[in-house]
Amino acid sequence: MAINFKHALSQKSIYIAVLSACLIAVAAFAVLSLLITEDSRRNTDDFAKKTFFRKYESIEHEFRNIEDYQYLLRALIQKDGLKNYKDYSLVLNDLNKKRNLLPYSWYYYENTASGKTESNNPLSDIFKKTDHKEKSIVLKNNGSGHFRDILITKKDSMYWVSYDSLMLPDKNKLYYGSTVSLDDLHQYFINVDKSSNTYAYVFTKEGICITHPEKKYIGKNIFDFTDIKAKDTLSGLTETGYTKGTAVSEYLGVEVTRFIKPLKTENFDGYTVVNHVNFIIDENISKIKTYTVYIFLAALFLIVTVFILFQRSANLAYQEKEKIQSEKNYLLIENEKMHKAEVINQLQQLKNNINPHFLFNSLNSLYMLIGINKENAQKFTMNLSKIYRYLIVPPKENIVPVSQEIKFIQQYMELLKSRFDEEMSFELIINDPASLEKRIPYLSLQIVTENAIKHNIATIDQPLEIIIIVDEDGITVKNTWQPKTEPVQGEKFGIDYLNQVYEYFKNNLLHISVDGEYFICFLPLMK
């Protein structure tokens, strides 16, 4: 039954179809954007937790390393007394330098009888009975076998001094321990674990800040310069062992996700705070939304363009049909010209049908892939944009060099691999390189390959194998013959398109056959 395209595709129906497509695209974009945002926030939250644990573990590890050298010095001195304490301190300092540790081991010996003292500690004045001007803060620690700890301010710098003493039989005293510059300690932790979007600091159980990227806060009470409350340190009430919340950074002045977890060692009782900057999270989500908008705008533009081209093609088809009917009695040569024009127009219609058909399949694949694998969806989108450069400007004569089709089918197979990874394999064999200069119908390899995927099973257990062989006379496309059990619906305009191109150029038609386990399609080459 003949269809009158002029009445079947009125201008009103085209506008309604375009508007419907726009509304569907907008709704799909809203849903997809929401899903991507939630997924991105969830992934970023997991990344923030991993960063927090890595930062905390590195700080805890270094605190224990510092203490190991303190307890080693204690064990050696208590064993030998005054025999080798100078050498022990010297050797430990050399080891610290080689391992890039910060503690400076020292000793202070006081002879009660003579009143003489001997020390390698620049801060040894704290053990003299005379008054000293240094400002000191005592750090409390009730742990067994702990060192005594004080914070000393000297010349605008603060030092953490851990010390112990040994009373000798002659009532002489030997003080020994380690000294750490708090400025150097924070810089040391930064070098141990460099994370551009996080920063950490440590404070004691009483709230005294031990490390901080802002020097002015070291030695201050964190409850005075941050919005941390006492309840924020009650991590024992949580299942995770730490507390988490959103706050404004006192250092950067931006919103951060703040993690607080107890830091307990044999000689220290306090907390570690790790702040993860949130604007990086929002920036990543914004980029994803922007890319999604670009994809949908491009898809919407292509849909509208296809509708317009299809409407124009339908009008041209109707006009040509009327023209042929009115010129039936013309000369045979004129009739032949009209017949050729009609054939070319039909080829163009078929070719225009292939492009939107391929676009719709690609967009459906992208929609499903976004929910499965975001990275593959991004690769899929980039390959789709490259492929559409070839599809947007089709050739006028419907035939192209073999080299162009080979390049296109390789990009197309890369696109399919984003969706079918283990379910499909592809192999290209070029037996005659000179054949790359010959010509074949436009999109012929893509049509035959898509036909193989459409009508055959492709699973991990039964992967679909596709082989393209370029010989002197033609191109053979083979695929494993494993047809689907249920019927496959769809028009055969792709095969019809190839048959008409070969017929128009008076060339041998393509040959299709089944040989054992393979379905074979042979495409003759044109010079």
Side-chain angles (χ1 to χ4, degrees):
M1 180 180 66
I3 299 177
N4 192 326
F5 287 96
K6 186 174 184 179
H7 297 290
L9 294 174
S10 62
Q11 189 174 19
K12 182 178 179 181
S13 63
I14 292 295
Y15 289 154
I16 292 175
V18 173
L19 181 60
S20 300
C22 294
L23 292 176
I24 292 173
V26 171
F29 163 71
V31 174
L32 183 61
S33 178
L34 178 62
L35 293 175
I36 291 177
T37 301
E38 292 299 324
D39 185 65
S40 179
R41 285 190 178 277
R42 188 162 50 251
N43 292 337
T44 308
D45 186 59
D46 292 339
F47 174 75
K49 290 180 182 178
K50 292 178 182 178
T51 304
F52 154 63
F53 283 118
R54 185 172 66 249
K55 200 87 171 180
Y56 175 84
E57 290 171 358
S58 66
I59 292 176
E60 183 185 39
H61 176 72
E62 296 307 322
F63 262 69
R64 294 190 184 279
N65 280 346
I66 292 173
E67 290 183 4
D68 287 343
Y69 277 82
Q70 293 175 337
Y71 287 110
L72 176 60
L73 180 62
R74 168 188 278 177
L76 294 172
I77 289 179
Q78 289 183 350
K79 178 181 178 182
D80 294 343
L82 291 176
K83 293 181 180 180
N84 300 300
Y85 67 88
K86 296 180 181 180
D87 295 334
Y88 293 152
S89 180
L90 180 62
V91 170
L92 288 179
N93 283 333
D94 290 339
L95 289 175
N96 290 338
K97 292 178 181 179
K98 292 180 180 179
R99 293 189 58 186
N100 294 323
L101 289 175
L102 292 174
Y104 168 72
S105 299
W106 52 266
Y107 61 86
Y108 173 77
Y109 174 69
E110 181 181 288
N111 191 313
T112 306
S114 63
K116 295 182 179 181
T117 61
E118 184 178 2
S119 175
N120 67 341
N121 181 12
L123 302 177
S124 60
D125 291 346
I126 62 174
F127 301 107
K128 296 180 180 179
K129 297 181 180 180
T130 57
D131 295 335
H132 53 81
K133 298 181 181 180
E134 290 82 3
K135 181 181 178 183
S136 63
I137 302 174
V138 178
L139 301 182
K140 298 179 181 179
N141 188 0
N142 298 323
S144 60
H146 69 277
F147 278 64
R148 283 164 284 183
D149 298 289
I150 57 176
L151 299 181
I152 299 177
T153 302
K154 186 173 184 179
K155 295 181 180 180
D156 297 329
S157 295
M158 183 165 285
Y159 300 88
W160 179 7
V161 179
S162 295
Y163 70 95
D164 198 5
S165 60
L166 180 66
M167 182 66 70
L168 302 174
D170 53 4
K171 295 185 180 181
N172 295 334
K173 286 185 178 181
L174 174 65
Y175 294 90
Y176 60 90
S178 64
T179 301
V180 180
S181 169
L182 295 187
D183 295 339
D184 296 339
L185 181 63
H186 181 76
Q187 187 61 41
Y188 175 66
F189 286 145
I190 292 177
N191 294 331
V192 168
D193 183 17
K194 296 182 179 180
S195 298
S196 59
N197 56 336
T198 61
Y199 72 93
Y201 55 90
V202 179
F203 64 92
T204 67
K205 198 171 184 179
E206 294 76 25
I208 299 174
C209 186
I210 299 297
T211 68
H212 199 283
E214 189 69 53
K215 182 178 178 181
K216 66 180 180 180
Y217 293 137
I218 297 178
K220 305 294 184 182
N221 194 303
I222 57 99
F223 299 110
D224 295 335
F225 64 85
T226 70
D227 57 356
I228 296 178
K229 307 298 181 184
K231 63 180 182 179
D232 297 331
T233 62
L234 300 178
S235 56
L237 303 179
T238 63
E239 296 181 359
T240 57
Y242 62 87
T243 60
K244 174 186 174 184
T246 302
V248 177
S249 169
E250 77 288 341
Y251 174 51
L252 301 175
V254 298
E255 185 181 87
V256 296
T257 299
R258 183 170 61 201
F259 300 87
I260 303 178
K261 185 175 182 179
L263 178 62
K264 292 185 178 181
T265 63
E266 294 184 13
N267 197 53
F268 184 80
D269 190 359
Y271 299 88
T272 298
V273 180
V274 178
N275 293 311
H276 191 278
V277 182
N278 286 343
F279 75 84
I280 297 178
I281 301 175
D282 298 333
E283 182 179 327
N284 292 335
I285 294 175
S286 178
K287 288 182 178 179
I288 294 175
K289 286 184 175 180
T290 302
Y291 296 150
T292 307
V293 171
Y294 289 158
I295 293 172
F296 272 90
L297 288 178
L300 190 60
F301 172 77
L302 290 174
I303 292 173
V304 174
T305 303
V306 168
F307 271 113
I308 294 174
L309 292 176
F310 188 76
Q311 183 189 27
R312 291 181 178 179
S313 299
N315 290 334
L316 287 174
Y318 174 77
Q319 294 173 6
E320 291 297 333
K321 184 178 179 180
E322 290 293 323
K323 188 175 182 180
I324 292 172
Q325 291 295 331
S326 64
E327 296 179 353
K328 282 184 177 180
N329 299 324
Y330 273 25
L331 298 174
L332 291 177
I333 187 171
E334 294 294 330
N335 198 19
E336 181 66 20
K337 290 181 179 179
M338 292 301 297
H339 176 68
K340 286 187 176 181
E342 185 180 13
V343 170
I344 293 175
N345 186 61
Q346 290 175 356
L347 290 176
Q348 185 65 33
Q349 290 184 57
L350 288 170
K351 186 167 57 181
N352 289 340
N353 282 334
I354 290 173
N355 285 358
H357 176 75
F358 175 75
L359 171 62
F360 295 148
N361 286 345
S362 300
L363 291 179
N364 287 333
S365 299
L366 175 60
Y367 178 77
M368 290 186 291
L369 192 59
I370 287 176
I372 299 174
N373 191 317
K374 182 172 63 177
E375 293 183 359
N376 284 348
Q378 292 175 345
K379 296 178 181 177
F380 186 96
T381 305
M382 293 302 298
N383 285 333
L384 182 60
S385 65
K386 294 177 181 178
I387 287 174
Y388 250 83
R389 294 176 185 172
Y390 186 71
L391 296 175
I392 289 176
V393 185
K396 295 181 180 179
E397 297 182 355
N398 300 289
I399 56 174
V400 293
V402 174
S403 58
Q404 290 186 16
E405 281 293 295
I406 291 295
K407 180 179 179 181
F408 174 78
I409 198 62
Q410 288 176 322
Q411 293 176 338
Y412 176 67
M413 294 308 297
E414 284 293 324
L415 192 70
L416 291 179
K417 287 293 286 182
S418 299
R419 181 181 174 189
F420 304 100
D421 187 6
E422 301 179 6
E423 296 91 340
M424 185 179 66
S425 65
F426 171 70
E427 183 179 7
L428 174 63
I429 302 173
I430 301 177
N431 293 330
D432 184 24
S435 297
L436 298 178
E437 302 300 324
K438 299 179 182 179
R439 299 190 293 175
I440 56 173
Y442 173 64
L443 294 181
S444 55
L445 295 181
Q446 188 271 333
I447 291 172
V448 177
T449 303
E450 185 184 34
N451 188 66
I453 297 171
K454 181 178 180 181
H455 293 279
N456 289 277
I457 297 173
T459 63
I460 296 177
D461 295 332
Q462 288 183 276
L464 180 63
E465 180 183 3
I466 299 176
I467 305 173
I468 297 178
I469 305 172
V470 180
D471 293 314
E472 181 179 359
D473 298 328
I475 298 178
T476 302
V477 181
K478 299 171 56 178
N479 63 270
T480 48
W481 176 241
Q482 42 198 39
K484 296 180 179 178
T485 55
E486 69 278 3
V488 179
Q489 298 180 354
E491 299 177 355
K492 298 181 179 180
F493 56 80
I495 300 300
D496 292 340
Y497 162 76
L498 295 177
N499 281 326
Q500 290 195 37
V501 172
Y502 280 112
E503 183 179 5
Y504 178 78
F505 288 96
K506 301 186 185 307
N507 203 309
N508 296 327
L509 300 182
L510 71 162
H511 178 70
I512 298 175
S513 62
V514 177
D515 184 12
E517 298 179 355
Y518 287 94
F519 180 89
I520 301 174
C521 180
F522 179 78
L523 300 170
L525 298 181
M526 307 175 189
K527 296 183 179 180

